[in-house]
Amino acid sequence: MSAPVPPRLRYVFTLVARIGAIGLGGPGPLGERQHIPIEGGEVTGPALQGRIRPGGSDWALLRADGTSVIDARYTLEAADGALIYVQSRGLRVSSPEILALMRAGQPVDPSAVYFRAAPHFEAPDGPHGWLNHHLFVATLERQATAVQLQVFQVE
């Protein structure tokens, strides 16, 4: 048996999603559900350019252990007008102190937060069809009024 070979990652683009005020749904059986509106944004990078259309949402779940389970759904509009559906699931893990700073819109050191996601894309046939045939991972960074995702294709 040969030695395991880890997959390579190739940077493909950056998403900067502008977000609105966090709505708290109160405690539930799995934790506290949050609604975070996605109000628009930009897509830049070597493999895709365009914008994030307003109207998406992240229905994050804040678990009792402080971990946030990300479940964001939104639409990208490529520079050529093609619409690309995105569903991104991930985790954000930080100390309660860092979480309080983030909720207050304060800047935090990205190394103090484990913030990763696996975006899934549904693109029309044509120049963006390659998004349908690969897996992707992303590093995330919370900014005052946005979340930045650096998206990598798993090769």
Side-chain angles (χ1 to χ4, degrees), residues 89-137:
R89 297 198 38 95
L91 293 174
R92 188 188 72 224
V93 182
S94 63
S95 68
E97 296 79 20
I98 294 294
L99 178 59
L101 289 173
M102 291 172 71
R103 278 190 168 176
Q106 298 297 312
V108 299
D109 180 351
S111 67
V113 183
Y114 179 84
F115 205 2
R116 304 288 185 267
H120 170 81
F121 301 94
E122 184 178 317
D125 290 336
H128 309 294
W130 63 276
L131 290 163
N132 300 319
H133 307 291
H134 292 73
L135 295 175
F136 299 86
V137 293

mmCIF file of all heavy atoms in Angstrom, residues 89-137:
data_model
loop_
_atom_site.group_PDB
_atom_site.id
_atom_site.type_symbol
_atom_site.label_atom_id
_atom_site.label_comp_id
_atom_site.label_asym_id
_atom_site.label_seq_id
_atom_site.Cartn_x
_atom_site.Cartn_y
_atom_site.Cartn_z
ATOM 1 N N ARG A 89 -21.653 25.331 4.219
ATOM 2 C CA ARG A 89 -21.774 24.841 5.594
ATOM 3 C C ARG A 89 -20.392 24.875 6.223
ATOM 4 O O ARG A 89 -19.396 24.601 5.566
ATOM 5 C CB ARG A 89 -22.346 23.432 5.613
ATOM 6 C CG ARG A 89 -23.768 23.439 5.039
ATOM 7 C CD ARG A 89 -24.619 22.251 5.367
ATOM 8 N NE ARG A 89 -24.506 21.677 6.669
ATOM 9 C CZ ARG A 89 -25.296 21.970 7.708
ATOM 10 N NH1 ARG A 89 -26.232 22.869 7.603
ATOM 11 N NH2 ARG A 89 -25.138 21.357 8.865
ATOM 12 N N GLY A 90 -20.354 25.236 7.496
ATOM 13 C CA GLY A 90 -19.063 25.338 8.138
ATOM 14 C C GLY A 90 -19.165 25.430 9.644
ATOM 15 O O GLY A 90 -20.239 25.237 10.229
ATOM 16 N N LEU A 91 -18.027 25.739 10.248
ATOM 17 C CA LEU A 91 -17.922 25.860 11.703
ATOM 18 C C LEU A 91 -17.142 27.114 12.064
ATOM 19 O O LEU A 91 -16.176 27.467 11.390
ATOM 20 C CB LEU A 91 -17.180 24.665 12.303
ATOM 21 C CG LEU A 91 -17.843 23.307 12.239
ATOM 22 C CD1 LEU A 91 -16.889 22.234 12.761
ATOM 23 C CD2 LEU A 91 -19.134 23.298 13.029
ATOM 24 N N ARG A 92 -17.580 27.736 13.144
ATOM 25 C CA ARG A 92 -16.814 28.820 13.749
ATOM 26 C C ARG A 92 -16.650 28.462 15.219
ATOM 27 O O ARG A 92 -17.633 28.259 15.930
ATOM 28 C CB ARG A 92 -17.512 30.164 13.607
ATOM 29 C CG ARG A 92 -16.609 31.308 14.077
ATOM 30 C CD ARG A 92 -17.319 32.636 14.148
ATOM 31 N NE ARG A 92 -18.218 32.584 15.296
ATOM 32 C CZ ARG A 92 -19.475 33.032 15.284
ATOM 33 N NH1 ARG A 92 -20.001 33.528 14.185
ATOM 34 N NH2 ARG A 92 -20.224 32.964 16.358
ATOM 35 N N VAL A 93 -15.394 28.364 15.651
ATOM 36 C CA VAL A 93 -15.096 28.000 17.032
ATOM 37 C C VAL A 93 -14.175 29.070 17.606
ATOM 38 O O VAL A 93 -13.142 29.388 17.023
ATOM 39 C CB VAL A 93 -14.399 26.616 17.119
ATOM 40 C CG1 VAL A 93 -14.152 26.229 18.561
ATOM 41 C CG2 VAL A 93 -15.220 25.545 16.403
ATOM 42 N N SER A 94 -14.594 29.637 18.739
ATOM 43 C CA SER A 94 -13.781 30.664 19.385
ATOM 44 C C SER A 94 -14.115 30.682 20.873
ATOM 45 O O SER A 94 -15.085 30.069 21.314
ATOM 46 C CB SER A 94 -14.042 32.038 18.766
ATOM 47 O OG SER A 94 -15.388 32.421 18.975
ATOM 48 N N SER A 95 -13.348 31.438 21.606
ATOM 49 C CA SER A 95 -13.630 31.606 23.029
ATOM 50 C C SER A 95 -14.859 32.501 23.187
ATOM 51 O O SER A 95 -15.210 33.261 22.275
ATOM 52 C CB SER A 95 -12.430 32.264 23.726
ATOM 53 O OG SER A 95 -12.309 33.610 23.276
ATOM 54 N N PRO A 96 -15.516 32.461 24.342
ATOM 55 C CA PRO A 96 -16.657 33.363 24.569
ATOM 56 C C PRO A 96 -16.270 34.836 24.444
ATOM 57 O O PRO A 96 -17.065 35.645 23.965
ATOM 58 C CB PRO A 96 -17.098 33.031 25.998
ATOM 59 C CG PRO A 96 -16.622 31.628 26.231
ATOM 60 C CD PRO A 96 -15.342 31.511 25.446
ATOM 61 N N GLU A 97 -15.049 35.181 24.826
ATOM 62 C CA GLU A 97 -14.600 36.569 24.733
ATOM 63 C C GLU A 97 -14.491 37.021 23.272
ATOM 64 O O GLU A 97 -14.911 38.134 22.921
ATOM 65 C CB GLU A 97 -13.246 36.747 25.439
ATOM 66 C CG GLU A 97 -13.279 36.492 26.938
ATOM 67 C CD GLU A 97 -13.260 34.992 27.307
ATOM 68 O OE1 GLU A 97 -12.863 34.156 26.480
ATOM 69 O OE2 GLU A 97 -13.663 34.675 28.448
ATOM 70 N N ILE A 98 -13.942 36.167 22.430
ATOM 71 C CA ILE A 98 -13.816 36.489 21.004
ATOM 72 C C ILE A 98 -15.198 36.571 20.371
ATOM 73 O O ILE A 98 -15.478 37.468 19.565
ATOM 74 C CB ILE A 98 -12.926 35.454 20.286
ATOM 75 C CG1 ILE A 98 -11.481 35.534 20.792
ATOM 76 C CG2 ILE A 98 -13.001 35.617 18.774
ATOM 77 C CD1 ILE A 98 -10.766 36.823 20.459
ATOM 78 N N LEU A 99 -16.092 35.646 20.734
ATOM 79 C CA LEU A 99 -17.460 35.674 20.212
ATOM 80 C C LEU A 99 -18.143 36.995 20.560
ATOM 81 O O LEU A 99 -18.806 37.604 19.722
ATOM 82 C CB LEU A 99 -18.268 34.492 20.742
ATOM 83 C CG LEU A 99 -19.734 34.437 20.310
ATOM 84 C CD1 LEU A 99 -19.861 34.384 18.796
ATOM 85 C CD2 LEU A 99 -20.419 33.247 20.964
ATOM 86 N N ALA A 100 -17.960 37.466 21.797
ATOM 87 C CA ALA A 100 -18.571 38.734 22.217
ATOM 88 C C ALA A 100 -18.032 39.893 21.378
ATOM 89 O O ALA A 100 -18.795 40.774 20.969
ATOM 90 C CB ALA A 100 -18.318 38.981 23.706
ATOM 91 N N LEU A 101 -16.730 39.901 21.093
ATOM 92 C CA LEU A 101 -16.151 40.945 20.250
ATOM 93 C C LEU A 101 -16.736 40.897 18.838
ATOM 94 O O LEU A 101 -17.077 41.931 18.265
ATOM 95 C CB LEU A 101 -14.631 40.806 20.180
ATOM 96 C CG LEU A 101 -13.845 41.148 21.445
ATOM 97 C CD1 LEU A 101 -12.377 40.784 21.268
ATOM 98 C CD2 LEU A 101 -13.998 42.626 21.781
ATOM 99 N N MET A 102 -16.857 39.685 18.295
ATOM 100 C CA MET A 102 -17.397 39.534 16.947
ATOM 101 C C MET A 102 -18.849 40.000 16.880
ATOM 102 O O MET A 102 -19.252 40.686 15.940
ATOM 103 C CB MET A 102 -17.269 38.082 16.485
ATOM 104 C CG MET A 102 -15.829 37.669 16.247
ATOM 105 S SD MET A 102 -15.611 35.922 15.931
ATOM 106 C CE MET A 102 -16.325 35.776 14.316
ATOM 107 N N ARG A 103 -19.640 39.637 17.890
ATOM 108 C CA ARG A 103 -21.043 40.059 17.909
ATOM 109 C C ARG A 103 -21.170 41.576 18.020
ATOM 110 O O ARG A 103 -22.119 42.154 17.531
ATOM 111 C CB ARG A 103 -21.781 39.395 19.071
ATOM 112 C CG ARG A 103 -22.225 37.997 18.778
ATOM 113 C CD ARG A 103 -23.149 37.507 19.847
ATOM 114 N NE ARG A 103 -23.799 36.282 19.428
ATOM 115 C CZ ARG A 103 -24.604 35.581 20.199
ATOM 116 N NH1 ARG A 103 -24.865 35.991 21.429
ATOM 117 N NH2 ARG A 103 -25.167 34.486 19.750
ATOM 118 N N ALA A 104 -20.186 42.202 18.654
ATOM 119 C CA ALA A 104 -20.194 43.657 18.800
ATOM 120 C C ALA A 104 -19.617 44.356 17.567
ATOM 121 O O ALA A 104 -19.525 45.576 17.540
ATOM 122 C CB ALA A 104 -19.414 44.058 20.046
ATOM 123 N N GLY A 105 -19.208 43.563 16.543
ATOM 124 C CA GLY A 105 -18.659 44.153 15.330
ATOM 125 C C GLY A 105 -17.224 44.618 15.476
ATOM 126 O O GLY A 105 -16.737 45.379 14.651
ATOM 127 N N GLN A 106 -16.547 44.159 16.526
ATOM 128 C CA GLN A 106 -15.167 44.553 16.762
ATOM 129 C C GLN A 106 -14.215 43.661 15.964
ATOM 130 O O GLN A 106 -14.508 42.475 15.745
ATOM 131 C CB GLN A 106 -14.836 44.428 18.253
ATOM 132 C CG GLN A 106 -15.668 45.318 19.140
ATOM 133 C CD GLN A 106 -15.433 46.784 18.838
ATOM 134 O OE1 GLN A 106 -14.304 47.233 18.731
ATOM 135 N NE2 GLN A 106 -16.517 47.526 18.681
ATOM 136 N N PRO A 107 -13.077 44.197 15.536
ATOM 137 C CA PRO A 107 -12.110 43.361 14.823
ATOM 138 C C PRO A 107 -11.473 42.345 15.772
ATOM 139 O O PRO A 107 -11.252 42.631 16.946
ATOM 140 C CB PRO A 107 -11.076 44.364 14.315
ATOM 141 C CG PRO A 107 -11.225 45.565 15.187
ATOM 142 C CD PRO A 107 -12.649 45.582 15.665
ATOM 143 N N VAL A 108 -11.212 41.149 15.240
ATOM 144 C CA VAL A 108 -10.528 40.116 16.011
ATOM 145 C C VAL A 108 -9.413 39.524 15.159
ATOM 146 O O VAL A 108 -9.481 39.547 13.928
ATOM 147 C CB VAL A 108 -11.491 38.994 16.481
ATOM 148 C CG1 VAL A 108 -12.578 39.549 17.386
ATOM 149 C CG2 VAL A 108 -12.105 38.259 15.315
ATOM 150 N N ASP A 109 -8.419 39.022 15.817
ATOM 151 C CA ASP A 109 -7.311 38.365 15.133
ATOM 152 C C ASP A 109 -7.843 37.063 14.530
ATOM 153 O O ASP A 109 -8.354 36.212 15.259
ATOM 154 C CB ASP A 109 -6.203 38.083 16.144
ATOM 155 C CG ASP A 109 -4.994 37.394 15.540
ATOM 156 O OD1 ASP A 109 -5.051 36.964 14.366
ATOM 157 O OD2 ASP A 109 -3.984 37.262 16.255
ATOM 158 N N PRO A 110 -7.752 36.876 13.208
ATOM 159 C CA PRO A 110 -8.277 35.654 12.588
ATOM 160 C C PRO A 110 -7.681 34.373 13.159
ATOM 161 O O PRO A 110 -8.338 33.336 13.164
ATOM 162 C CB PRO A 110 -7.917 35.812 11.113
ATOM 163 C CG PRO A 110 -7.749 37.273 10.902
ATOM 164 C CD PRO A 110 -7.241 37.814 12.221
ATOM 165 N N SER A 111 -6.459 34.439 13.684
ATOM 166 C CA SER A 111 -5.848 33.235 14.246
ATOM 167 C C SER A 111 -6.508 32.816 15.561
ATOM 168 O O SER A 111 -6.290 31.711 16.042
ATOM 169 C CB SER A 111 -4.341 33.435 14.443
ATOM 170 O OG SER A 111 -4.103 34.401 15.459
ATOM 171 N N ALA A 112 -7.337 33.694 16.147
ATOM 172 C CA ALA A 112 -8.030 33.373 17.399
ATOM 173 C C ALA A 112 -9.351 32.648 17.151
ATOM 174 O O ALA A 112 -10.055 32.315 18.100
ATOM 175 C CB ALA A 112 -8.283 34.651 18.199
ATOM 176 N N VAL A 113 -9.670 32.406 15.876
ATOM 177 C CA VAL A 113 -10.956 31.807 15.523
ATOM 178 C C VAL A 113 -10.729 30.694 14.509
ATOM 179 O O VAL A 113 -10.034 30.898 13.505
ATOM 180 C CB VAL A 113 -11.898 32.858 14.894
ATOM 181 C CG1 VAL A 113 -13.264 32.259 14.582
ATOM 182 C CG2 VAL A 113 -12.034 34.073 15.785
ATOM 183 N N TYR A 114 -11.313 29.518 14.767
ATOM 184 C CA TYR A 114 -11.357 28.478 13.739
ATOM 185 C C TYR A 114 -12.638 28.734 12.958
ATOM 186 O O TYR A 114 -13.742 28.573 13.483
ATOM 187 C CB TYR A 114 -11.377 27.071 14.363
ATOM 188 C CG TYR A 114 -11.445 25.983 13.317
ATOM 189 C CD1 TYR A 114 -10.285 25.519 12.704
ATOM 190 C CD2 TYR A 114 -12.667 25.434 12.935
ATOM 191 C CE1 TYR A 114 -10.342 24.530 11.737
ATOM 192 C CE2 TYR A 114 -12.729 24.450 11.962
ATOM 193 C CZ TYR A 114 -11.566 24.003 11.373
ATOM 194 O OH TYR A 114 -11.625 23.025 10.403
ATOM 195 N N PHE A 115 -12.500 29.174 11.702
ATOM 196 C CA PHE A 115 -13.644 29.591 10.892
ATOM 197 C C PHE A 115 -13.426 29.015 9.498
ATOM 198 O O PHE A 115 -12.658 29.559 8.697
ATOM 199 C CB PHE A 115 -13.685 31.119 10.876
ATOM 200 C CG PHE A 115 -15.040 31.739 10.611
ATOM 201 C CD1 PHE A 115 -16.197 31.003 10.426
ATOM 202 C CD2 PHE A 115 -15.136 33.121 10.542
ATOM 203 C CE1 PHE A 115 -17.415 31.614 10.180
ATOM 204 C CE2 PHE A 115 -16.355 33.753 10.303
ATOM 205 C CZ PHE A 115 -17.497 32.995 10.119
ATOM 206 N N ARG A 116 -14.081 27.882 9.214
ATOM 207 C CA ARG A 116 -13.897 27.163 7.955
ATOM 208 C C ARG A 116 -15.256 26.751 7.400
ATOM 209 O O ARG A 116 -16.202 26.528 8.155
ATOM 210 C CB ARG A 116 -13.044 25.902 8.146
ATOM 211 C CG ARG A 116 -11.677 26.134 8.775
ATOM 212 C CD ARG A 116 -10.734 26.832 7.804
ATOM 213 N NE ARG A 116 -9.393 26.962 8.343
ATOM 214 C CZ ARG A 116 -8.946 28.009 9.008
ATOM 215 N NH1 ARG A 116 -9.737 29.029 9.264
ATOM 216 N NH2 ARG A 116 -7.701 28.059 9.431
ATOM 217 N N ALA A 117 -15.313 26.618 6.083
ATOM 218 C CA ALA A 117 -16.568 26.212 5.447
ATOM 219 C C ALA A 117 -16.264 25.370 4.212
ATOM 220 O O ALA A 117 -15.142 25.369 3.693
ATOM 221 C CB ALA A 117 -17.399 27.430 5.051
ATOM 222 N N ALA A 118 -17.298 24.677 3.755
ATOM 223 C CA ALA A 118 -17.243 23.896 2.520
ATOM 224 C C ALA A 118 -18.370 24.377 1.618
ATOM 225 O O ALA A 118 -19.488 23.870 1.692
ATOM 226 C CB ALA A 118 -17.375 22.409 2.826
ATOM 227 N N PRO A 119 -18.095 25.382 0.779
ATOM 228 C CA PRO A 119 -19.143 25.865 -0.117
ATOM 229 C C PRO A 119 -19.404 24.876 -1.251
ATOM 230 O O PRO A 119 -18.482 24.229 -1.755
ATOM 231 C CB PRO A 119 -18.580 27.187 -0.653
ATOM 232 C CG PRO A 119 -17.111 27.092 -0.474
ATOM 233 C CD PRO A 119 -16.867 26.172 0.672
ATOM 234 N N HIS A 120 -20.669 24.763 -1.618
ATOM 235 C CA HIS A 120 -21.110 23.918 -2.727
ATOM 236 C C HIS A 120 -21.777 24.846 -3.734
ATOM 237 O O HIS A 120 -22.615 25.670 -3.356
ATOM 238 C CB HIS A 120 -22.100 22.860 -2.216
ATOM 239 C CG HIS A 120 -22.772 22.115 -3.301
ATOM 240 N ND1 HIS A 120 -22.178 21.074 -3.955
ATOM 241 C CD2 HIS A 120 -23.985 22.274 -3.872
ATOM 242 C CE1 HIS A 120 -23.004 20.609 -4.880
ATOM 243 N NE2 HIS A 120 -24.111 21.326 -4.848
ATOM 244 N N PHE A 121 -21.406 24.695 -4.995
ATOM 245 C CA PHE A 121 -21.907 25.584 -6.037
ATOM 246 C C PHE A 121 -22.792 24.823 -7.012
ATOM 247 O O PHE A 121 -22.513 23.681 -7.349
ATOM 248 C CB PHE A 121 -20.738 26.226 -6.800
ATOM 249 C CG PHE A 121 -19.820 27.014 -5.911
ATOM 250 C CD1 PHE A 121 -18.680 26.435 -5.375
ATOM 251 C CD2 PHE A 121 -20.111 28.330 -5.586
ATOM 252 C CE1 PHE A 121 -17.840 27.157 -4.544
ATOM 253 C CE2 PHE A 121 -19.279 29.064 -4.755
ATOM 254 C CZ PHE A 121 -18.138 28.469 -4.229
ATOM 255 N N GLU A 122 -23.840 25.508 -7.466
ATOM 256 C CA GLU A 122 -24.704 24.980 -8.505
ATOM 257 C C GLU A 122 -24.741 26.032 -9.610
ATOM 258 O O GLU A 122 -25.382 27.071 -9.481
ATOM 259 C CB GLU A 122 -26.100 24.730 -7.949
ATOM 260 C CG GLU A 122 -27.042 24.081 -8.926
ATOM 261 C CD GLU A 122 -28.391 23.818 -8.293
ATOM 262 O OE1 GLU A 122 -28.447 23.352 -7.144
ATOM 263 O OE2 GLU A 122 -29.400 24.117 -8.966
ATOM 264 N N ALA A 123 -23.993 25.734 -10.680
ATOM 265 C CA ALA A 123 -23.832 26.694 -11.774
ATOM 266 C C ALA A 123 -24.487 26.165 -13.043
ATOM 267 O O ALA A 123 -24.587 24.948 -13.238
ATOM 268 C CB ALA A 123 -22.350 26.942 -12.022
ATOM 269 N N PRO A 124 -24.905 27.058 -13.937
ATOM 270 C CA PRO A 124 -25.449 26.602 -15.219
ATOM 271 C C PRO A 124 -24.330 26.017 -16.085
ATOM 272 O O PRO A 124 -23.152 26.308 -15.881
ATOM 273 C CB PRO A 124 -26.020 27.875 -15.835
ATOM 274 C CG PRO A 124 -25.269 28.988 -15.206
ATOM 275 C CD PRO A 124 -24.911 28.510 -13.822
ATOM 276 N N ASP A 125 -24.718 25.189 -17.051
ATOM 277 C CA ASP A 125 -23.740 24.685 -18.016
ATOM 278 C C ASP A 125 -23.078 25.869 -18.704
ATOM 279 O O ASP A 125 -23.658 26.941 -18.838
ATOM 280 C CB ASP A 125 -24.434 23.803 -19.062
ATOM 281 C CG ASP A 125 -24.926 22.489 -18.483
ATOM 282 O OD1 ASP A 125 -24.380 22.048 -17.454
ATOM 283 O OD2 ASP A 125 -25.865 21.914 -19.069
ATOM 284 N N GLY A 126 -21.863 25.661 -19.135
ATOM 285 C CA GLY A 126 -21.137 26.733 -19.811
ATOM 286 C C GLY A 126 -19.850 27.039 -19.084
ATOM 287 O O GLY A 126 -19.263 26.166 -18.439
ATOM 288 N N PRO A 127 -19.417 28.296 -19.129
ATOM 289 C CA PRO A 127 -18.094 28.631 -18.593
ATOM 290 C C PRO A 127 -17.943 28.432 -17.084
ATOM 291 O O PRO A 127 -16.818 28.342 -16.594
ATOM 292 C CB PRO A 127 -17.911 30.100 -18.972
ATOM 293 C CG PRO A 127 -19.259 30.616 -19.306
ATOM 294 C CD PRO A 127 -20.079 29.442 -19.743
ATOM 295 N N HIS A 128 -19.047 28.350 -16.352
ATOM 296 C CA HIS A 128 -18.951 28.176 -14.899
ATOM 297 C C HIS A 128 -19.308 26.758 -14.459
ATOM 298 O O HIS A 128 -19.369 26.473 -13.266
ATOM 299 C CB HIS A 128 -19.849 29.199 -14.189
ATOM 300 C CG HIS A 128 -19.601 30.594 -14.672
ATOM 301 N ND1 HIS A 128 -18.415 31.265 -14.456
ATOM 302 C CD2 HIS A 128 -20.372 31.431 -15.402
ATOM 303 C CE1 HIS A 128 -18.472 32.454 -15.028
ATOM 304 N NE2 HIS A 128 -19.658 32.582 -15.612
ATOM 305 N N GLY A 129 -19.545 25.878 -15.418
ATOM 306 C CA GLY A 129 -19.915 24.507 -15.111
ATOM 307 C C GLY A 129 -18.881 23.748 -14.292
ATOM 308 O O GLY A 129 -19.220 22.810 -13.575
ATOM 309 N N TRP A 130 -17.620 24.165 -14.363
ATOM 310 C CA TRP A 130 -16.565 23.507 -13.587
ATOM 311 C C TRP A 130 -16.857 23.550 -12.092
ATOM 312 O O TRP A 130 -16.415 22.667 -11.341
ATOM 313 C CB TRP A 130 -15.203 24.139 -13.886
ATOM 314 C CG TRP A 130 -15.089 25.577 -13.488
ATOM 315 C CD1 TRP A 130 -15.491 26.665 -14.205
ATOM 316 C CD2 TRP A 130 -14.568 26.092 -12.263
ATOM 317 N NE1 TRP A 130 -15.248 27.825 -13.505
ATOM 318 C CE2 TRP A 130 -14.681 27.506 -12.304
ATOM 319 C CE3 TRP A 130 -14.021 25.494 -11.123
ATOM 320 C CZ2 TRP A 130 -14.261 28.322 -11.266
ATOM 321 C CZ3 TRP A 130 -13.595 26.309 -10.089
ATOM 322 C CH2 TRP A 130 -13.724 27.704 -10.169
ATOM 323 N N LEU A 131 -17.636 24.547 -11.638
ATOM 324 C CA LEU A 131 -17.976 24.648 -10.213
ATOM 325 C C LEU A 131 -18.819 23.456 -9.747
ATOM 326 O O LEU A 131 -18.833 23.131 -8.559
ATOM 327 C CB LEU A 131 -18.728 25.952 -9.941
ATOM 328 C CG LEU A 131 -17.905 27.233 -10.063
ATOM 329 C CD1 LEU A 131 -18.825 28.439 -10.181
ATOM 330 C CD2 LEU A 131 -16.956 27.374 -8.890
ATOM 331 N N ASN A 132 -19.531 22.824 -10.671
ATOM 332 C CA ASN A 132 -20.385 21.678 -10.335
ATOM 333 C C ASN A 132 -19.606 20.384 -10.145
ATOM 334 O O ASN A 132 -20.170 19.394 -9.674
ATOM 335 C CB ASN A 132 -21.424 21.449 -11.450
ATOM 336 C CG ASN A 132 -22.319 22.628 -11.666
ATOM 337 O OD1 ASN A 132 -22.760 23.268 -10.718
ATOM 338 N ND2 ASN A 132 -22.580 22.946 -12.925
ATOM 339 N N HIS A 133 -18.347 20.364 -10.538
ATOM 340 C CA HIS A 133 -17.604 19.113 -10.601
ATOM 341 C C HIS A 133 -16.395 19.057 -9.675
ATOM 342 O O HIS A 133 -15.513 18.227 -9.869
ATOM 343 C CB HIS A 133 -17.152 18.865 -12.045
ATOM 344 C CG HIS A 133 -18.283 18.922 -13.015
ATOM 345 N ND1 HIS A 133 -19.272 17.964 -13.061
ATOM 346 C CD2 HIS A 133 -18.608 19.848 -13.949
ATOM 347 C CE1 HIS A 133 -20.147 18.284 -13.999
ATOM 348 N NE2 HIS A 133 -19.774 19.430 -14.547
ATOM 349 N N HIS A 134 -16.365 19.927 -8.684
ATOM 350 C CA HIS A 134 -15.242 19.952 -7.754
ATOM 351 C C HIS A 134 -15.748 20.202 -6.338
ATOM 352 O O HIS A 134 -16.834 20.746 -6.138
ATOM 353 C CB HIS A 134 -14.251 21.061 -8.129
ATOM 354 C CG HIS A 134 -13.532 20.806 -9.397
ATOM 355 N ND1 HIS A 134 -14.125 20.915 -10.641
ATOM 356 C CD2 HIS A 134 -12.276 20.430 -9.645
ATOM 357 C CE1 HIS A 134 -13.261 20.622 -11.581
ATOM 358 N NE2 HIS A 134 -12.122 20.330 -11.002
ATOM 359 N N LEU A 135 -14.920 19.837 -5.383
ATOM 360 C CA LEU A 135 -15.161 20.180 -3.988
ATOM 361 C C LEU A 135 -14.346 21.427 -3.668
ATOM 362 O O LEU A 135 -13.282 21.663 -4.249
ATOM 363 C CB LEU A 135 -14.740 19.039 -3.063
ATOM 364 C CG LEU A 135 -15.532 17.749 -3.204
ATOM 365 C CD1 LEU A 135 -14.937 16.662 -2.313
ATOM 366 C CD2 LEU A 135 -16.994 17.965 -2.883
ATOM 367 N N PHE A 136 -14.858 22.202 -2.701
ATOM 368 C CA PHE A 136 -14.209 23.443 -2.319
ATOM 369 C C PHE A 136 -14.179 23.556 -0.805
ATOM 370 O O PHE A 136 -15.069 23.041 -0.114
ATOM 371 C CB PHE A 136 -14.977 24.644 -2.894
ATOM 372 C CG PHE A 136 -15.030 24.644 -4.390
ATOM 373 C CD1 PHE A 136 -16.027 23.951 -5.062
ATOM 374 C CD2 PHE A 136 -14.062 25.313 -5.131
ATOM 375 C CE1 PHE A 136 -16.071 23.935 -6.442
ATOM 376 C CE2 PHE A 136 -14.103 25.292 -6.516
ATOM 377 C CZ PHE A 136 -15.114 24.602 -7.177
ATOM 378 N N VAL A 137 -13.158 24.224 -0.301
ATOM 379 C CA VAL A 137 -13.078 24.589 1.111
ATOM 380 C C VAL A 137 -12.747 26.071 1.173
ATOM 381 O O VAL A 137 -12.219 26.645 0.212
ATOM 382 C CB VAL A 137 -12.032 23.761 1.891
ATOM 383 C CG1 VAL A 137 -12.444 22.298 1.978
ATOM 384 C CG2 VAL A 137 -10.645 23.896 1.274
#
